[in-house]
Amino acid sequence: MARTRRRVSAAPRHRQPYTVGPSLGGFAISGLRTIVVLALVGLVLPMSGRADIAAVHVQNSDEFAAAVSALRDTGGTIRLRRNYYGGELVVGSRSARPLRIVGERGVRVESLLLEGTQHVSVSRLTIAPIRQDAWLRISGSRHIALHDLLVTAKRTRYRATVQVVESGHVVVRRSEFRRCGDRSSLFSNCLHLKHGTRHILIAHNWFHDCRGCDFVHGRFGYDLTLRANRFERALPCRMDRHRCGHQDLVSFWSGSRLLVERNTFGVYKLGAAQLYLIGAVDRVSIVNNVFRGIDRKLPGYRARVAIIVGSKGSKRVPRRVRIVNNTILTGARRIDGYAGSIRMSGVYWGLQVRKRPLLANNVIGLVEVPHHVCSVARTAVSNIVLRGVACRGPNHVGSVHLDRYGRPTAASVLLIDHASRHLGTRRDIDGRLRDSRPDIGAYEYQGPKRTN
């Protein structure tokens, strides 16, 4: 069935009726009656297989509010025409029939609130400041999908962020986050999770080029997945030290069941680590990721620590953490003197062994003193250290001859066929099945293997 195109206008502030589009039966329809008629039409038109019975075109915030009201029970699509949408756009309580909010090229939205709502998707928008901080906030909602967004505060003194608060079954994918608050005096988080969030998927996004930002930050409730994202370049920051020290690429403070897989982590300078887990973050799997120590676009700029698990200032540390099959090329001395790609809290010495971190099948760039790596781990098996010392047991120090992307080559004899099959992953960072004799690191070698 061909889609019916309609344009909804908000009720006018004056009392005189006006026409919107073609009249029905030769009679002009007032703005208020238009909304009523559109709602009735939506109820009687048959539903398509995609539950998209209408494409309502809007061009300002008043028309958006009218369209949301008209499609509250029927579902459909709201298409935002090219414009700057200042103020707050709101989607509230509605039926379970899907509502799609889609922007044309050049659409810029300052504030979009999805509050107490359900089954809403938002795509092809730019979330950016106009006269104040910009945000897309999901609060007390469920079954929300965000995709193909641009979130940026570039060339402004404000911030731009996506916030998820006490919501469930939320997907953020194929979106770009950059310059989320370079000139703001306040801390900036490109994607901020707050208490009560659950069943969250953050996948195939590009976070890059931000000064004094955390790309992903916060607390979640249960079941969070970071998959196949790129976190690149927390840029040199020239504001005060307190502001510029806020440069962890990803940091979480509480939550249960966290999966971090197939991501690429780039450089930062100040801050704790590329991936920072502190407090009650439990049941964590960090698998098949690449942590880069340098970036050709920032010569002389190095990432210092890849992963920190637990903080020396907190008695509560993450429990049941698995760090498996990662390629960790990060490693430079921190300003406090610590030199190592991974750091784990000494609090683990007081925990049961089964609650301590597991370290297996990793390429590790630097371990200068194993005190905060090997000694506190539940077990450390089949890890190759590039510089420094290896943990006791089946772990080694040596060169692994990776290519520029961190992939093994035919010369990577320390990696190929030497991973623990029992503790490793079935697939590699590219999703390929590992063979019966798997390799150490994020990538499974694909070329011809050397023979003796």
Side-chain angles (χ1 to χ4, degrees), residues 12 14-18 30:
H14 53 79
R15 298 181 179 271
Q16 296 179 357
Y18 66 98
S30 70

Side-chain angles (χ1 to χ4, degrees), residues 323-326 358-364 379-385 390-397 400 414-424 438-442:
I323 305 174
V324 177
N325 275 112
N326 300 282
L358 165 68
L359 195 64
N361 300 347
N362 301 284
V363 176
I364 303 176
T379 187
V381 177
S382 300
N383 300 288
I384 302 298
V385 177
C391 299
R392 294 178 181 177
N395 303 281
H396 302 280
V397 177
V400 293
L414 288 179
L415 305 183
I416 298 171
D417 295 344
H418 285 90
S420 167
R421 183 179 180 185
H422 174 66
L423 297 175
D439 303 339
I440 294 172

Side-chain angles (χ1 to χ4, degrees), residues 73-95:
D73 297 321
T74 64
T77 300
I78 300 175
R79 296 192 179 276
L80 280 67
R81 294 195 182 279
R82 184 170 183 172
N83 199 3
Y84 288 175
Y85 292 79
E88 185 177 76
L89 306 182
V90 180
V91 179
S93 177
R94 57 178 312 280
S95 74

Side-chain angles (χ1 to χ4, degrees), residues 30-208:
S30 70
L32 179 60
R33 290 179 180 176
T34 299
I35 298 173
V36 175
V37 170
L38 289 175
L40 291 175
V41 170
L43 290 173
V44 300
L45 283 176
M47 292 288 292
S48 70
R50 297 172 58 190
D52 184 11
I53 64 170
V56 182
H57 293 256
V58 303
Q59 200 161 6
N60 56 53
S61 57
D62 290 337
E63 292 181 1
F64 180 85
V68 169
S69 178
L71 300 178
R72 176 178 178 179
D73 297 321
T74 64
T77 300
I78 300 175
R79 296 192 179 276
L80 280 67
R81 294 195 182 279
R82 184 170 183 172
N83 199 3
Y84 288 175
Y85 292 79
E88 185 177 76
L89 306 182
V90 180
V91 179
S93 177
R94 57 178 312 280
S95 74
R97 293 185 174 181
L99 174 67
R100 298 195 309 150
I101 300 171
V102 183
E104 291 183 351
R105 184 180 180 87
V107 168
R108 184 168 176 169
V109 174
E110 188 170 59
S111 302
L112 174 58
L113 173 62
L114 307 181
E115 185 172 32
T117 193
Q118 60 179 328
H119 297 282
V120 178
S121 68
V122 181
S123 63
R124 301 180 187 175
L125 303 181
T126 294
I127 306 298
I130 299 174
R131 297 184 180 87
Q132 58 187 348
D133 287 349
W135 44 262
L136 191 163
R137 182 178 296 125
I138 304 168
S139 178
S141 300
R142 56 194 177 94
H143 299 292
I144 306 297
L146 311 179
H147 62 92
D148 300 289
L149 304 179
L150 171 61
V151 180
T152 181
K154 187 176 181 180
R155 298 193 182 95
T156 76
R157 57 187 178 89
Y158 301 111
R159 298 177 296 173
T161 186
V162 170
Q163 297 180 350
V164 185
V165 185
E166 295 184 345
S167 298
H169 298 281
V170 176
V171 176
V172 182
R173 58 188 173 90
R174 292 202 318 265
S175 295
E176 180 181 355
F177 297 76
R178 56 180 166 87
R179 306 282 184 175
C180 299
D182 288 3
R183 301 180 184 177
S184 174
S185 60
L186 303 174
F187 285 146
S188 300
N189 301 305
C190 294
L191 178 54
H192 193 183
L193 307 180
K194 296 191 175 182
H195 287 292
T197 58
R198 59 204 178 277
H199 305 299
I200 309 297
L201 172 62
I202 302 168
H204 301 279
N205 301 287
W206 184 24
F207 298 82
H208 67 103

Side-chain angles (χ1 to χ4, degrees), residues 195 214 216-220 246 248 250-255 276-282 311 314 316 318:
H195 287 292
D214 277 11
V216 182
H217 174 95
R219 306 171 187 269
F220 64 97
H246 190 67
D248 309 318
V250 175
S251 64
F252 293 116
W253 295 69
S254 66
Y276 184 28
L277 306 178
I278 181 174
V281 187
D282 299 331
S311 169
S314 174
R316 180 62 162 90

